[in-house]
Amino acid sequence: MTAAFRFFDLSNAAGVSLTESLVLTAPPGPPAPAERVLPLRRPGRWIATAIVLVLLSQAAHGLLTNPFYQWDRFTYWFVRPAILEGLLITLQVAAYSAVLGLAGGILLALGRLSTNPVLRSVSWAYIWLLRSVPLIVVLLFLYNLSALYPTLSIGVPFGPAFFTFDESRLATDIVVAVVGLSLSEAAYAAEVVRAGVLSVDQGQHEAAAALGLPKRYQFARIVFPQALRSIVPAYVNQLIGLVKATSLVFYVSLLDLFGTVQSLGSTYSGDIVPLLLVATFWYVVLTSVLSVVQFYVERYYARGALRTMPPTPLQRARTGLRELRNRLRDPSRKETAR
């Protein structure tokens, strides 16, 4: 290795700079050998992994070898028309309740954020009440509402009625289920929406007001689109609980997935466990699909907040296969300690 340095002699009285070169040459020699990096030993991780694998193996062995589960009956009931019809009703009730619950939650959140004391108080009271009362109580109360109000009317309070409805004909089983779930879901969605609106920077509100835009345009064009980054992922997570909550509509005589399983279990008493496994599997499928949707929704709305997007499960799988292929090709490759 050779290095050259230049320097100036400033002591010359005539002001002429003198320049000399100094050359340093390193003695030749063989290159330094590469040091081998050993991975950091983690015995606790290996012990925990072994314990988890043993427990999973025991659980899988119990599921596959226990005759009480009757897996042959599980495959028989899994795609029966009655089960699929109940699954379709579950999807319908969950979809209607999700849309109506979100719409009601937006209205309630606006009421809570309003400067009007009446709207603010009524919205707070509604959210407080519906979050305090169990969902099964709400459904049973609506199911027996015809005993309290045989007819429903719209008109002037303490005056004439303009429209009158027969509550027993209007409140079918699916209507009672959707209304009950929507009323309860709106209370929780209101807090999600309110938290999302409050997460928007106060400067955005001030900038919208400075432009002279009406309040409705400020909310619809500036505030609410930014609040969706916090609202949508949280509400998709709320939908997972809503799908599981649809199992309670069985108590209002609606044969959804769980109601169908219960009805078939009372008829075929020997197949109760396989039928419950069928319901469990379908609920796991539905919640898993929503979990995948939640992941991609969160990833979509995180584009403006993260420098590097988190990898998708498919990308993680490709990366793992690539690393495994590289290790198989080069057995001497070791993991570098961090």
Side-chain angles (χ1 to χ4, degrees):
M1 181 176 64
T2 303
F5 299 91
R6 300 174 66 90
F7 65 92
F8 297 95
D9 185 7
L10 302 179
S11 62
N12 194 317
V16 179
S17 60
L18 302 177
T19 305
E20 295 182 2
S21 298
L22 177 63
V23 179
L24 300 178
T25 304
E35 296 183 358
R36 182 181 180 184
V37 180
L38 298 177
L40 182 64
R41 300 183 182 277
R42 298 183 175 92
R45 177 184 297 181
W46 289 105
I47 294 174
T49 302
I51 293 175
V52 171
L53 290 178
V54 169
L55 294 177
L56 289 177
S57 301
Q58 290 181 343
H61 180 267
L63 286 174
L64 296 176
T65 59
N66 193 339
F68 189 70
Y69 290 110
Q70 306 178 51
W71 291 108
D72 56 336
R73 301 300 296 171
F74 170 85
T75 56
Y76 171 79
W77 288 111
F78 183 65
V79 290
R80 298 296 294 175
I83 298 294
L84 297 181
E85 290 177 3
L87 178 63
L88 180 60
I89 293 177
T90 296
L91 293 175
Q92 290 178 347
V93 172
Y96 295 150
S97 302
V99 174
L100 295 177
L102 180 59
I106 293 175
L107 295 178
L108 289 171
L110 292 177
R112 292 239 16 217
L113 297 173
S114 175
T115 56
N116 190 313
V118 176
L119 295 178
R120 189 169 60 250
S121 301
V122 172
S123 300
W124 177 87
Y126 178 92
I127 295 172
W128 166 76
L129 180 62
L130 267 296
R131 292 174 67 186
S132 302
V133 179
L135 177 58
I136 184 63
V137 176
V138 176
L139 291 173
L140 292 177
F141 183 82
L142 292 176
Y143 186 69
N144 296 281
L145 190 63
S146 59
L148 297 174
Y149 301 100
T151 59
L152 300 177
S153 60
I154 299 177
V156 179
F158 306 102
F162 301 138
F163 302 98
T164 303
F165 307 95
D166 187 357
E167 199 275 338
S168 60
R169 295 182 179 179
L170 184 63
T172 60
D173 294 340
I174 191 169
V175 170
V176 170
V178 171
V179 171
L181 288 173
S182 301
L183 292 176
S184 180
E185 188 69 15
Y188 293 94
E191 293 300 288
V192 173
V193 174
R194 187 173 69 91
V197 173
L198 293 177
S199 67
V200 178
D201 188 78
Q202 188 64 27
Q204 299 295 320
H205 297 267
E206 297 173 354
L211 292 175
L213 297 176
K215 287 289 186 181
R216 61 180 182 276
Y217 286 106
Q218 293 181 25
F219 180 79
R221 300 293 181 85
I222 298 178
V223 177
F224 192 67
Q226 298 182 61
L228 286 176
R229 179 180 297 175
S230 301
I231 294 174
V232 175
Y235 190 68
V236 174
N237 183 59
Q238 185 70 24
L239 293 181
I240 297 177
L242 176 62
V243 170
K244 294 185 292 184
T246 55
S247 60
L248 297 176
V249 302
F250 165 72
Y251 294 98
V252 294
S253 302
L254 185 62
L255 293 180
D256 66 323
L257 176 61
F258 182 74
T260 302
V261 167
Q262 286 286 87
S263 178
L264 292 174
S266 61
T267 304
Y268 303 91
S269 57
D271 292 347
I272 294 179
V273 173
L275 286 169
L276 291 177
L277 288 175
V278 168
T280 301
F281 186 86
W282 277 118
Y283 280 118
V284 169
V285 170
L286 295 179
T287 54
S288 299
V289 171
L290 288 176
S291 299
V292 173
V293 173
Q294 179 189 5
F295 171 80
Y296 283 98
V297 167
E298 291 181 351
R299 192 172 185 272
Y300 176 82
Y301 281 98
R303 291 181 301 173
L306 299 178
R307 296 180 181 272
T308 304
M309 300 302 299
T312 63
L314 183 58
Q315 292 174 344
R316 293 179 180 177
R318 290 177 178 175
T319 303
L321 290 176
R322 190 183 305 112
E323 292 180 354
L324 180 61
R325 191 183 304 114
N326 293 334
R327 289 185 180 182
L328 292 177
R329 291 178 180 176
D330 187 6
S332 63
R333 185 176 179 180
K334 299 293 184 179
E335 180 184 1
T336 304
R338 297 182 179 176

